[in-house]
Amino acid sequence: MHASFVRSPYSHAKILKINISEALKLDGVEAVLTGEDVIKWSEPFVVGVKQPMEHWCLGVKKVRYVGEPVAIVIARDRYIAEDATELVNVEYDLLPPVMNIESSIKSNAPILHEKVKSNIVSERNFNYGNVEKAFSLANNIVEIDVEYPRNSCTPIECFNVISEYSDENKSYNVLSNFQGPMALHPVMAMALKIPGNKLRLRAPQNSGGSFGVKQAVFYYIVSISLASKKVGRPVKWVEDRLEHLIAATSATGRKSKISAAITKDGLLLGLKIIQYDDCGAYLRAPEPASLYRMHGNLSGAYSVKNISLKNYVVLTNKTPSGLNRGFGGPQLYFGLERLMHKISKVLNKPHLQIIKTNLLPQNSFPYKTPSGGILDSGNYQKAIQKAEKDGGLEELEKRRRGKRKVGKLYGIGFAAVVEPSISNMGYISTVLSHEERLKAGPKNGAYACATVSIDPLGSISVTIDSLPQGQGHQTVVQQLVASVFSIDPKNITVSSDLDTHKDGWSIAAGNYSSRFGGAVAGTVYLAAQKLFLKLKTIAAKNMNINVEDVIFQNDLVFSKNNPDNKITFSRLAGSSHWSPDTIPDAMAPPLRETLYWTMPQHKAPNEKDEINSSGSYGFIFDYCGVEIDQNTGKVIIDKYVTTHDAGTLLHPEIVNGQIQGAFAQAVGASLYEEFKYADNGEFLSGTFADYLVPTANEIPEACILHISTPSPFTPLGSKGVGEGNSMSTPVCIANAISDAIEQDKITLPMTPPKLWGLISKKEDLPKNLNLEITDEKKKISVELYQNYTNKKFWKYIKNKLRNIV
Amino acid sequence: MSKILGSKKSISFTFNGTKVEKEVEPRILLSDFIRDSLGKTGTHVGCEHGICGACTIHLNGRAVRSCLTLAVQVDNCEIHTIEFISGKYNGLNIIQKNFKKYFALQCGFCTPGIIMSLCDYLYRNNNPSEQEIKDVISGHLCRCTGYSSIIKAAVESAKEINNAE
């Protein structure tokens, strides 16, 4: 059966009545699932903060964002299901919406969740070092207020769910392009009121991109599962683009205020940070993680020791927020790196000089940050040096001088960013107080799991838990394992699908926090090594030589001293299947190795609220030159240089593909993309003609440079690399625009109309243009609209235009 | 809406070189028809409003959006999908090979549509400039690659196609 959702057209309303009788009459319609079923068969989703908030898998009694599902029509095919959604009659009683952070936190604001009594659902204060003293010693205090918009990476493939309820076992069998984190598996099982082993969740080997976004399909896995229970048959739902844009998920919008206490040279003595995150209508797991993923690296690439932080989680009548590439990073660094730029302007010193003044010194790694992060390795000075030299910074500065000489608006922007990867599953509990954490029990770690198996013909299968969606993990693993055994990569297959009933996994499994390079590939390597050492021992025994004399090379295994004493790899590898006798006593057979790996550095948050929120931390230094078209306000990215230190690079082409891809999405976030709402809550970005994703003509090729300081904490020395430019590029472009137009208030996306508004002066407007809105003009525009379908439309317009001009 | 249900129309057309006759509801999108009735799922659906280009196919030899076309419109027409492109060349064609070589795809969801547009354009135009090629690709949205690898693969393909002619 096929499902189609009935969604709320209103951002805030009471549901008075749902009439499904007309829908049920339509031939082919099997049933309609509503809030009544949902209350009977499920629970609200668990929430990451201690608040009496009810988030059901359909809007129950109330809707809180445009697009919130209120019913599901289940029918023979999708066309009929969609027809029937129009026949479901929902009566609403409209409530005033809250559409931004400012209005949401006002004391008289309409309340989204009555039982919570406030739209601020979490408030936490943190203090590291001695901030007040730092501010009292400062030569200068620089402040900046910034906002980061709500947007998303909008994968071209939307959400998919097929769920089958078994009445016999009271269980659900689900296939979905879910990407993890598998920490959401218990969240789904609890919502469905079943033990974990009654929710079999499978994700396929191949699915379209995700960029974090497909985490949010978990909400629909629960509702489609209930739909299957309703009809007693498998139910399939394929999200369409309009549903995706309006109601799937969004990065959090953020308002921050940062004050810096600085010396006359621009050295940071202390930071006071206040952050408000707009999480939309419900705090949906794993939120408020956007605020806490960056907690360990709050101080970025800088050596500042004294930091105070106030975090507020705010609800508004918008789509709930969730994972989105960079998750928390774009928001944090937009404030921090705009601040560094502003400090340079206030002190009238070069921006890069201010960055260099504050960078962590070369030999300070591993470095413990004030908020508890352990930055594993790096050489920030070397990366910047490389960027300056190989990226051609001097040339670019010359170009800026030349452009400015002829009256062009041209600016250079910089950004230095620490890119965290391999999330510590305990970081989210930083939102709780230490006492609350003690009660809930410690949360920490992040197990990666990999299995390497050998079949009777001696070929190798590898299973990984990273659920890749286009990042080429399979290719990297194939090459990695081939190199361990010195065999042809063609003899290795990699399974990247996941079946919770058959595969190894932990709550940390999935495609997020750039955990592949550091954690998953490393775990594969360790598992393969274990098998390799066993095979080597068996070979030594059977070839009658010392273990250290066994050589694996080009699909052969032979003795170092006598190459004729040899066996093919496939024969050796398959021997445990055929002749267990050849295995030395007491050795477990080298048939299959499943290995779980986590890091000892991943501790739970401590009583001082210190948390090492990630496992490894890469470094990015970006700069760019932009020119602004003074006639249109369009930003032209003239040159973009991005230098990365991601430790050991496992596959340079794939790494560069990740960097260019993240860069392109970040250009979209900087210049075009935003989920916009009208003040009355109406959603304004519901198609790809309104939500503007950049095309090949808008994205230049970034100049990508690398240095490598391997991580001492990951098995291969590698770090995550896929999210860095999501964090560095928006603020780098914003800094360049600020440099070009010599203005401070830069809000993304910097669309041409917005920018034109900043650079145009009254005298730029055509002299004879009368912008005053008169009643006559209003009347004409209404008539134009009403006559839009009129056959004499063009003639009509011509006549009217003649009158106006 | 429900009034038009059941009023099926019979259409006949050539699909990837084979003659096909089918009964189809007038409102069925060509993209849904290709995937659900003809069972060829290489044509992907990304937006259903003509912007993303993932569903691009060839209709009488020219690239069109199958999500903006009704199945009944292809009566007496010739349709080719991505499955035909690989089949015709007994493996990957020049453009597909270059996509592989230049890492011009990551998740691959947008790829069939882009290949169909490029197949149409590059085989009809000699020596296109890089900007012209970019303009063709700009009819498609790709979220993974950031386009530069796609542009390289297409430019290289254009050269090879010209040299082969």
Side-chain angles (χ1 to χ4, degrees), chain A residues 120 271 407 409 436 445 464 540 582 584 652 716 734 792 805:
Chain A
I120 301 175
L271 290 174
L409 291 176
E436 287 172 318
I464 51 175
T582 57
L716 296 163
K792 293 171 190 161
V805 185

Side-chain angles (χ1 to χ4, degrees), chain A residues 306-322:
Chain A
N306 308 298
I307 303 178
S308 75
L309 170 70
K310 283 181 199 290
N311 276 347
Y312 297 90
V313 179
V314 179
L315 301 187
T316 60
N317 287 106
K318 298 178 190 167
T319 300
S321 60

Side-chain angles (χ1 to χ4, degrees), chain A residues 79 83 152-154 156-157 209 211 240-241 469-470 651 657-658 660-661 664-665 673 687-688 694-697 699 701, chain B residues 1-2 27-29 32 46-49 51-52 103 106-107 109 131 134-135 137-138 141 143-148 152:
Chain A
Y79 282 74
D83 288 344
S152 125
C153 295
T154 60
I156 305 300
E157 179 199 67
F211 325 111
D240 73 25
R241 176 60 53 195
Q469 285 156 316
H651 194 304
Q658 287 299 305
Q660 174 71 20
Q665 290 179 343
E673 297 173 36
T687 73
F688 268 156
T695 74
N697 274 328
I699 304 295
E701 183 172 7
Chain B
M1 166 198 44
S2 48
R27 64 171 178 168
I28 302 285
L29 300 180
D32 287 343
C47 73
E48 291 178 302
H49 56 276
I51 308 259
C52 82
F103 291 76
Q106 287 179 24
C107 83
F109 195 82
Q131 185 54 49
K134 266 193 193 176
D135 287 343
I137 298 170
S138 74
L141 298 181
R143 275 310 224 172
C144 296
T145 62
Y147 302 108
S148 58
K152 282 180 200 156

